[in-house]
Amino acid sequence: MTGIKGPRAKDDKTKKRKRDINESDIRSKRHRQQSREAKVNGDDVRTPPKLKQGKPNKENLAVGLGAFRQQEVIRQSDDGEAGWRVSKPMGGRMLDIDPILTEDEQYLILTYNTSLQVFNANDSLLVRRIPISTLDTSASKGATPAHIVATRLSKHNTQLAWVACSDGNIYCVNWTQGDIPTPAFQTSSSTAKALAVIPAAFTEHKEILLVAESEKPSRMDVVAYQLVDGDKQKSASILTLQKPGYGLQILETSDDGQVIVGAFQDRLFLATASATTAENLDQLRYETFSFDSPDLITSIDMRLHPRFSGNKKGHVGTDTAVDVIIGGARGGIYVYRDALSHVMSAGKAQFVKDGIQVQKYHWHRKAVHAVKWSADGNYFISGGSENVLVIWQVDTSRKDFLPHLSGSVENIVVSHTGSSYVVHLDDNSAMILSTAEMKPTAYIAGIQSAAVDVSEPKDLLVRRVWNISEHSRRPIPAAIRPSEPSKFYVCVGNGRQETLSGNLSMPLMQSFDLESFTSISKQALARTQPTDVNLSSRGHPIDEPIVTNIAFSGDGKWLASIDEWKPAPRDVENISPDLRVQFMRERHEIYLKFWQVRDGAESMDLVSRINAPHSTTCPESVLDLASDPTSNCFATVGTDGIIRLWRPRPRQQNGVALKDATGQDAVSWGCVQVIGVGDGTGIENGTDFTDPTQHVEVQGRVVFSEDGSTLFVAFGAVDSGAIYVVDVASGQIVKTLEGLWDGRLQSLQALGSFIIVLSNDLRVYDVVGDGLQYGIVVPKLYGVNELHQLAVDHTSGRFAVTLPIGGASSIGVFDPEDPEPLLVRSTPHRIVSLVSAPGASGFIALDDAAQVWVIAEGSDPSSIATVQPLQDLQLDGCSGAVATDTTTAEVLETDETDAASEDDTDDAKEADDDVDMGDDDEDDAYGSVIPQQSLTEIFDAAPAFAAPSIEDMFYKVTGLLARKPVAEQ
């Protein structure tokens, strides 16, 4: 690209290059083939027209990207081997639902926003992912997807789990298999808020489901459901509560189902089963008592234990005492000792006014997210937004702390033996802690980027002076390291802290392995305060810096990051309005940092920090950051209209080269070249930059060509600007292209001889031919265009565009020489990051539900992914889960006799195995044992889309089986 000379494109900016006849014929045949492939991928879409001469006619371009379908839900990978396809989503966000730890503590079941995921508690590896269908494809435009509200393990068969969704659909899931479940039934009100399971001898399946339903915030109905004939259900109302207000609905039961404890807003209710044994669902009766608690209830737990001194005078009930503990929205914890006996002796049923004694504990500053009794009842454990796990001694009120957690505590589960705690944090991670040492024995973390809350946070049940952000308003910085295409780097925050101020805080960077789909590390790129008292004296959260850009060098050994911080407008209210803007500009902190990335090291080393890399009389914002794909060089463009090139140089002291900690030559980064664009400003002549009261919004983007010889810089105001073609070697501007964007500039990318500009229009310009290839009008949807994103794939020569449509997004893949899209698909969530991997074909999209989507071409051998998640490969049986060939319906039909016979069979099989173990001298080839670690290394990539092909894995497994020991010489 060096040495491009030619007239400015100002006068004839839409002139198109003429091609040879032979070249045109070749490209035409290729486009017709791709057009057929695009139609195979899905519905046919209209071809957006090309831009005409001069200024684009928006009326003629109305179809454009407006052909994107707005509510299509991707249920499965698209058919067709040769076309572009979108994978099923992987990952997701852990919901505020108690995890399930199996009784043998071997498996951990976590509930995500779209699936159940089963993990091995010993090695923290994913065993299987079971998708839960919660969005109807026939949903009307703007419909809200249903979400999972509760997950409970079956009382009758531990291989089953019941899942309730907000639309009233109840699923029966066999978590030992990877089958996609279908709804078992739907509640009568088509709503569900909470779910509990109780055993019952009179039912065919030995259990009854209690569902808390609510069509209005002021009403709560608890309904019992019994499955009949597999696909039908009978129902009976248990209780109804009405109270004006707003709050949570919680439901818990004892193991035998004799006691029900629940909460409705600030009302606590207890129900005990009638003395007579019910013979059918209609005879199931509960006597209910309810009373108001001192606070809105956010968490609840119960404990049954025998009374030591027997029944005292005046107490009514059996010899079993029920202790109830609740957490409040204002930080209080309330313990009701022997609650059932007290309410039964205090007054009439349904509502108890007096005589309820409560013991209060208080340490948390905000809502108590979770509280649980220990196994022996001498302690209880609580957690909230302080990133601290608190262990309380009941008798002495003494507190022990496990501080400095990576996020707010959302859920706590105590194992059956009491030897472990399962803690779910709001940064999309969960861990299993040993109660003896309080050290993690297992840790599971998904992608921890900002995600949309499916339900209102518990901290907001009480009105605060701050509010959280409902959506991500800007793309989340993400990148893939060129030397390791399987490593995905994304900027994240400190759990709930990332949304407290309304602006997403992203001072950390998470490294995520796409092959094993596990989190590797998390490192701070800017200053953080996750465990400090991060509220001001007025109750406002203290804002953290935001990482705006990250980029890897061409060899993947260096990372450049830009973070900035400025005072919030509420912090400068006491300053004169005339000086307020100037004060905020002077206090604006901007840092350009260079990090050294070493192979095999989890953390990066900070080598250089540049304070205010662009500045005039005060620090200027850095608009964009780009990396040279062929050398260790970065380019930045600031609001001062200056381009700066940054390169490493040896660090010396008194003329002697310094060494770093590893013995290598130490380097430091500095600016080696300065280039001014647009007369230093790119704004109209006469604009006064010294006037602090006049706000001029400047925008700019910068990108290197594929060979690194040319730098394309877009700079200007919102409504006007130009693209400058800069020769990197000489630093000279060799061409200026004007009128290539309209409105807000979103992205600028280079692909071969083309530059792609995304603003209110999508325009592809041929730099070599000096003409506009085509342009498409981007539809204005809901007035939100912050998340318009663009990424290019140099391997396949394609580029992808994502557009937000309400709470969803549309994805389009284009050829730079043909305006007809190769693929158009929509996702049920908004895409917040779109990247491509250097050296591999395809794109990776991250949505605001922490799910990863892969867009790849099926026929491309260099594709970044196989586009086949775990449930498609059906390899989850190799991961060591409970082996079973029975379906969910067959498991439901099993009875205790069958279970006993299976135990006898297992015992007989174990006895036969003991006999066979003596035959070790028959054949060494068949007597050899394959280590589990070897199989894990092969099949660990199965859940991810970046795994090798099935054929490669087949040969690896057969290689293990066919391997014979080397004979001794």
Side-chain angles (χ1 to χ4, degrees):
M1 299 295 297
T2 37
I4 295 179
K5 304 292 183 180
R8 292 166 59 97
K10 180 177 181 180
D11 298 330
D12 193 9
K13 58 187 176 184
T14 57
K15 183 178 179 181
K16 188 173 178 181
R17 176 173 65 102
K18 295 183 179 180
R19 303 180 180 275
D20 286 343
I21 298 178
N22 295 333
E23 182 181 359
S24 177
D25 292 340
I26 295 174
R27 299 302 298 178
S28 299
K29 294 179 181 178
R30 177 186 174 192
H31 290 158
R32 284 195 294 268
Q33 180 181 2
Q34 291 170 351
S35 177
R36 290 194 296 268
E37 293 172 357
K39 293 180 181 179
V40 170
N41 285 336
D43 299 338
D44 190 13
V45 289
R46 292 173 293 176
T47 304
K50 298 183 181 181
L51 285 177
K52 296 183 178 181
Q53 295 287 337
K55 190 174 181 179
N57 187 349
K58 295 186 178 181
E59 295 180 358
N60 296 333
L61 299 174
V63 293
L65 293 182
F68 278 34
R69 288 164 286 179
Q70 298 183 1
Q71 274 295 335
E72 180 186 358
V73 180
I74 300 176
R75 289 289 182 178
Q76 58 186 1
S77 299
D78 302 327
D79 297 331
E81 296 180 357
W84 284 81
R85 300 178 294 169
V86 180
S87 72
K88 295 180 182 179
M90 291 297 298
R93 193 76 175 184
M94 299 179 190
L95 296 181
D96 185 9
I97 297 175
D98 284 349
I100 298 176
L101 184 64
T102 57
E103 191 170 353
D104 57 2
E105 300 186 14
Q106 295 296 314
Y107 300 97
L108 181 64
I109 304 174
L110 298 175
T111 305
Y112 286 72
N113 48 2
T114 58
S115 63
L116 292 186
Q117 299 190 21
V118 184
F119 293 86
N120 192 319
N122 296 322
D123 54 15
S124 305
L125 296 179
L126 177 65
V127 175
R128 63 177 48 84
R129 179 182 185 272
I130 305 173
I132 304 296
S133 177
T134 59
L135 181 62
D136 188 4
T137 54
S138 61
S140 60
K141 179 180 177 181
T144 303
H147 59 275
I148 302 174
V149 297
T151 303
R152 298 284 184 177
L153 206 60
S154 172
K155 299 288 185 181
H156 168 58
N157 193 314
T158 56
Q159 295 183 5
L160 300 179
W162 294 96
V163 180
C165 294
S166 59
D167 58 357
N169 284 323
I170 309 297
Y171 295 82
C172 184
V173 180
N174 187 346
W175 62 268
T176 63
Q177 294 182 345
D179 298 337
I180 300 178
T182 57
F185 65 92
Q186 189 176 30
T187 59
S188 56
S189 65
S190 297
T191 63
K193 300 296 183 181
L195 173 69
V197 181
I198 61 174
F202 61 83
T203 64
E204 179 183 359
H205 304 306
K206 305 287 190 300
E207 59 192 359
I208 292 177
L209 303 182
L210 299 180
V211 182
E213 306 176 24
S214 177
E215 295 180 336
K216 300 179 180 179
S218 60
R219 180 185 176 93
M220 174 183 179
D221 296 314
V222 179
V223 183
Y225 289 91
Q226 173 189 355
L227 286 180
V228 180
D229 298 331
D231 57 348
K232 298 181 180 180
Q233 77 278 359
K234 295 174 60 178
S235 62
S237 178
I238 300 298
L239 65 92
T240 299
L241 293 176
Q242 293 185 354
K243 187 173 185 179
Y246 183 81
L248 302 180
Q249 300 183 18
I250 308 173
L251 199 62
E252 297 288 342
T253 64
S254 59
D255 292 335
D256 56 4
Q258 296 298 307
V259 181
I260 302 175
V261 176
F264 177 51
Q265 300 180 18
D266 62 346
R267 180 167 295 179
L268 179 67
F269 64 87
L270 298 91
T272 177
S274 59
T276 58
T277 303
E279 297 181 358
N280 54 57
L281 187 62
D282 296 332
Q283 297 180 2
L284 186 64
R285 295 289 184 271
Y286 281 90
E287 187 178 8
T288 306
F289 306 87
S290 64
F291 56 92
D292 290 340
S293 64
D295 197 357
L296 287 173
I297 301 175
T298 56
S299 55
I300 192 171
D301 192 29
M302 63 182 298
R303 173 177 174 266
L304 276 66
H305 62 93
R307 293 196 186 93
F308 296 102
S309 58
N311 286 341
K312 296 182 180 180
K313 184 178 180 180
H315 282 208
V316 182
T318 62
D319 291 336
T320 302
V322 180
D323 294 343
V324 179
I325 184 170
I326 63 174
R330 295 174 176 83
I333 300 175
Y334 304 91
V335 176
Y336 296 89
R337 293 285 191 176
D338 200 3
L340 186 60
S341 179
H342 282 83
V343 296
M344 294 176 67
S345 61
K348 298 180 180 179
Q350 295 298 327
F351 190 74
V352 179
K353 294 184 178 180
D354 302 316
I356 306 300
Q357 298 180 355
V358 61
Q359 187 176 3
K360 181 180 179 181
Y361 303 83
H362 200 151
W363 180 84
H364 296 279
R365 297 191 298 268
K366 287 176 283 190
V368 181
H369 295 174
V371 60
K372 285 291 189 296
W373 286 107
S374 64
D376 56 6
N378 296 327
Y379 299 87
F380 63 85
I381 308 97
S382 66
S385 57
E386 297 82 9
N387 296 18
V388 178
L389 189 69
V390 187
I391 303 174
W392 304 74
Q393 190 172 8
V394 178
D395 296 335
T396 63
S397 299
R398 178 181 175 182
K399 299 179 290 293
D400 290 326
F401 303 97
L402 181 63
H404 306 297
L405 299 176
S406 59
S408 301
V409 177
E410 291 294 322
N411 304 96
I412 302 172
V413 173
V414 181
S415 64
H416 290 79
T417 60
S419 61
S420 301
Y421 297 147
V422 182
V423 182
H424 164 222
L425 305 178
D426 77 333
D427 66 344
N428 206 23
S429 67
M431 66 177 73
I432 301 178
L433 296 172
S434 170
T435 57
E437 300 177 351
M438 295 304 291
K439 293 183 178 180
T441 59
Y443 179 74
I444 299 162
I447 294 181
Q448 299 173 342
S449 62
V452 176
D453 292 312
V454 296
S455 60
E456 187 173 6
K458 295 176 181 178
D459 290 338
L460 292 184
L461 292 177
V462 177
R463 185 178 297 275
R464 309 282 180 179
V465 297
W466 44 263
N467 206 345
I468 66 171
S469 177
E470 297 181 358
H471 297 286
S472 176
R473 295 295 182 182
R474 57 184 303 167
I476 295 178
I480 293 181
R481 188 182 178 191
S483 57
E484 292 181 304
S486 64
K487 299 297 188 297
F488 180 64
Y489 294 83
V490 59
C491 292
V492 299
N494 293 299
R496 185 70 64 196
Q497 294 300 124
E498 65 190 5
T499 58
L500 286 184
S501 62
N503 295 321
L504 295 179
S505 172
M506 298 174 290
L508 309 174
M509 187 178 69
Q510 181 188 17
S511 172
F512 197 84
D513 189 352
L514 296 176
E515 290 184 351
S516 60
F517 216 79
T518 56
S519 177
I520 299 176
S521 64
K522 191 165 62 173
Q523 181 172 352
L525 298 183
R527 68 173 185 271
T528 62
Q529 45 198 20
T531 58
D532 296 337
V533 180
N534 43 30
L535 292 178
S536 65
S537 58
R538 296 184 178 182
H540 293 284
I542 299 175
D543 294 337
E544 295 176 335
I546 299 176
V547 178
T548 58
N549 300 88
I550 60 173
F552 281 97
S553 60
D555 56 4
K557 296 182 179 180
W558 297 95
L559 173 74
S561 67
I562 298 173
D563 62 271
E564 62 178 36
W565 175 90
K566 58 183 177 181
R570 61 175 179 269
D571 296 334
V572 293
E573 293 178 352
N574 297 329
I575 301 177
S576 172
D578 297 337
L579 302 177
R580 189 173 300 168
V581 176
Q582 181 68 16
F583 177 79
M584 293 183 63
R585 290 186 61 189
E586 293 176 354
R587 293 294 306 273
H588 196 178
E589 298 179 5
I590 304 170
Y591 300 107
L592 171 62
K593 300 176 182 178
F594 297 95
W595 309 79
Q596 187 172 12
V597 186
R598 304 184 187 275
D599 294 334
E602 294 185 357
S603 60
M604 301 176 298
D605 300 330
L606 178 61
V607 175
S608 299
R609 188 187 79 174
I610 312 298
N611 300 344
H614 293 261
S615 62
T616 53
T617 56
C618 57
E620 299 287 347
S621 297
V622 179
L623 299 175
D624 199 13
L625 169 70
S627 170
D628 185 351
T630 61
S631 65
N632 293 331
C633 178
F634 294 94
T636 59
V637 58
T639 56
D640 56 352
I642 299 297
I643 306 168
R644 294 181 181 270
L645 299 182
W646 308 84
R647 294 182 184 273
R649 51 194 175 192
R651 183 181 299 175
Q652 296 181 352
Q653 184 176 5
N654 297 329
V656 180
L658 298 179
K659 302 290 184 180
D660 57 13
T662 61
Q664 304 293 329
D665 292 338
V667 299
S668 62
W669 285 75
C671 180
V672 297
Q673 201 169 12
V674 176
I675 306 169
V677 294
D679 297 329
T681 61
I683 313 298
E684 296 180 359
N685 294 331
T687 302
D688 187 5
F689 272 82
T690 61
D691 185 3
T693 61
Q694 183 178 2
H695 177 68
V696 179
E697 186 174 358
V698 183
Q699 53 186 354
R701 293 292 184 268
V702 59
V703 65
F704 280 91
S705 63
E706 192 172 352
D707 59 0
S709 62
T710 307
L711 192 65
F712 301 98
V713 182
F715 186 81
V718 173
D719 298 327
S720 63
I723 296 179
Y724 303 90
V725 183
V726 181
D727 184 6
V728 175
S730 62
Q732 300 296 321
I733 299 176
V734 297
K735 183 181 292 187
T736 302
L737 308 174
E738 297 185 359
L740 283 185
W741 83 73
D742 180 26
R744 181 174 296 276
L745 178 63
Q746 302 294 337
S747 182
L748 172 68
Q749 296 291 340
L751 182 61
S753 62
F754 302 95
I755 55 174
I756 302 104
V757 186
L758 179 61
S759 58
N760 292 348
D761 302 327
L762 174 66
R763 307 192 187 190
V764 180
Y765 189 86
D766 189 347
V767 180
V768 176
D770 196 13
L772 185 68
Q773 189 71 15
Y774 61 85
I776 304 173
V777 169
V778 177
K780 295 182 179 180
L781 302 170
Y782 306 101
V784 178
N785 61 353
E786 293 91 342
L787 288 178
H788 291 179
Q789 297 183 77
L790 170 68
V792 297
D793 180 10
H794 295 286
T795 303
S796 65
R798 308 292 190 268
F799 67 90
V801 180
T802 63
L803 305 177
I805 304 176
S809 280
S810 289
I811 302 174
V813 178
F814 292 84
D815 187 299
E817 297 189 10
D818 190 354
E820 181 178 359
L822 303 177
L823 173 73
V824 176
R825 287 291 179 268
S826 62
T827 61
H829 300 278
R830 289 157 52 106
I831 301 299
V832 294
S833 295
L834 181 67
V835 297
S836 61
S841 173
F843 305 91
I844 292 180
L846 175 67
D847 63 18
D848 59 2
Q851 297 179 127
V852 172
W853 307 76
V854 175
I855 306 101
E857 192 172 10
S859 61
D860 193 345
S862 63
S863 174
I864 194 174
T866 60
V867 201
Q868 293 190 35
L870 182 60
Q871 61 267 23
D872 292 341
L873 295 176
Q874 297 180 355
L875 296 176
D876 52 336
C878 302
S879 300
V882 180
T884 177
D885 295 330
T886 58
T887 62
T888 302
E890 292 172 347
V891 172
L892 282 171
E893 295 175 357
T894 57
D895 53 18
E896 297 178 357
T897 305
D898 296 336
S901 62
E902 291 176 7
D903 294 339
D904 296 339
T905 304
D906 294 339
D907 294 338
K909 184 177 179 180
E910 291 178 359
D912 294 339
D913 293 341
D914 293 339
V915 175
D916 293 340
M917 289 179 65
D919 302 333
D920 293 337
D921 301 331
E922 293 181 357
D923 192 348
D924 293 339
Y926 294 95
S928 60
V929 178
I930 299 177
Q932 184 178 0
Q933 181 180 0
S934 300
L935 292 175
T936 303
E937 293 175 354
I938 298 176
F939 293 106
D940 192 22
F945 35 75
S949 63
I950 299 178
E951 183 180 1
D952 293 340
M953 290 191 290
F954 171 77
Y955 285 119
K956 290 180 181 179
V957 174
T958 54
L960 293 176
L961 295 175
R963 186 180 302 165
K964 294 184 179 181
V966 180
E968 296 182 1
Q969 300 295 333

